[in-house]
Amino acid sequence: MRTTTFIFLCFIAGQALADEPRWEIATRTEGITVLARKAEGENIAEVKAIGLIQAPPEEVWKILMDFDNYTQTMPYTEVARRIAQESDGKTFYFYTVLNPPLVSRRDYVLKMRDVSAWENGKGFLKLSWAVAEDADQRVPPQPDKVRLKLSNGYWLLEPREGGKTTFATYYLLTDGGGTMPAWVMNKANKTAAPDVILAVRKAVKPPRK
C-alpha cells in the first residue's frame, strides 16, 4: 500500500512539473544564456539569465549589496538609494529611477531580502525582491515618472571552481508600465538581462576593497 501511494504521489508531482511552462532559450551572448517562459496569469514573460563571473561569490555579493553605487554599476540606473532597513538586518527598502532608451523614466520601491544560506564559502548567496506593498507611502509617485507595480526577481550566486568563480542567476518578472505592449516589454527584458550580468562582471574587475 505504501509503495502504491508513493508511486501515485510521484506521478502527481511529475504531472505538475509537466504542466508548468518550459523555459526556452532566448539568446546566448558572451557566455550568458537567457531563458524565458510565459508567466502564469501574466501577459509578460519571466526572464532568467545565467552565466559565470570570474570572481568569488563574496566579491560579487559586495557589488550587489552596494545599492548606492548602482548608478555606476547597473545599466540605465539614474537614482538608487536604500531608504530603510528592518531590524533583522536582512530586509531592505530600495528606491530607484531607471532612464532606459526610447521610453520615459520608470521608478519603483522594492522590498529586498537577503535569503542566503552561506557559511565558510559553501552554500549560496541570494538576494530576492518584489515591489513594496506600501511603495507609494514610502516614496510618493511623481508625474514625470512611470511607477512600476510589478517587479519580482532575485540574484542567486553559487560557487564554482572551489569558490574562485561564481555561477550567477539573474531572474526577473517585471511589467514596464505605461502603454508599452507586452511584446516590447518581453523583448526589452530579454535584451537587458545579459547586460546586467555583464555590468556586474565589469564591476568586479578589479574587486572593490
Side-chain angles (χ1 to χ4, degrees), residues 130-177:
V131 169
E133 293 181 359
D134 58 350
D136 291 357
Q137 286 71 50
R138 290 184 179 274
V139 180
Q142 303 170 34
D144 62 334
K145 300 176 184 67
V146 175
R147 173 60 54 92
L148 300 193
K149 302 297 184 181
L150 173 64
S151 183
N152 299 336
Y154 64 79
W155 276 102
L156 175 64
L157 310 178
E158 300 171 282
R160 293 291 188 270
E161 300 181 63
K164 295 179 182 179
T165 62
T166 301
F167 184 78
T169 301
Y170 173 69
Y171 166 86
L172 189 64
L173 171 62
T174 187
D175 186 340

Side-chain angles (χ1 to χ4, degrees), residues 21-27 34-39 45-49 186 190:
R22 293 183 58 184
W23 290 99
E24 303 286 346
I25 295 176
T27 63
V34 178
L35 306 167
R37 68 181 182 183
K38 188 179 183 303
E46 301 172 279
V47 175
K48 183 164 58 175
N186 289 335
K190 292 172 187 176

Side-chain angles (χ1 to χ4, degrees), residues 7-89:
I7 293 173
F8 176 74
L9 290 174
C10 288
F11 173 78
I12 293 298
Q15 286 295 103
L17 291 173
D19 290 341
E20 290 183 0
R22 293 183 58 184
W23 290 99
E24 303 286 346
I25 295 176
T27 63
R28 285 194 177 103
T29 179
E30 298 191 48
I32 299 168
T33 300
V34 178
L35 306 167
R37 68 181 182 183
K38 188 179 183 303
E40 185 176 352
E42 302 287 347
N43 292 324
I44 55 177
E46 301 172 279
V47 175
K48 183 164 58 175
I50 57 176
L52 281 175
I53 299 176
Q54 298 298 319
E58 297 95 333
E59 292 296 331
V60 180
W61 186 252
K62 289 178 184 177
I63 300 298
L64 300 183
M65 297 301 289
D66 189 4
F67 301 122
D68 292 340
N69 270 314
Y70 274 24
T71 56
Q72 304 299 317
T73 57
M74 298 299 179
Y76 313 127
T77 303
E78 189 174 85
V79 176
R81 64 176 184 268
R82 187 188 309 203
I83 58 176
Q85 179 175 325
E86 294 188 358
S87 58
D88 63 2

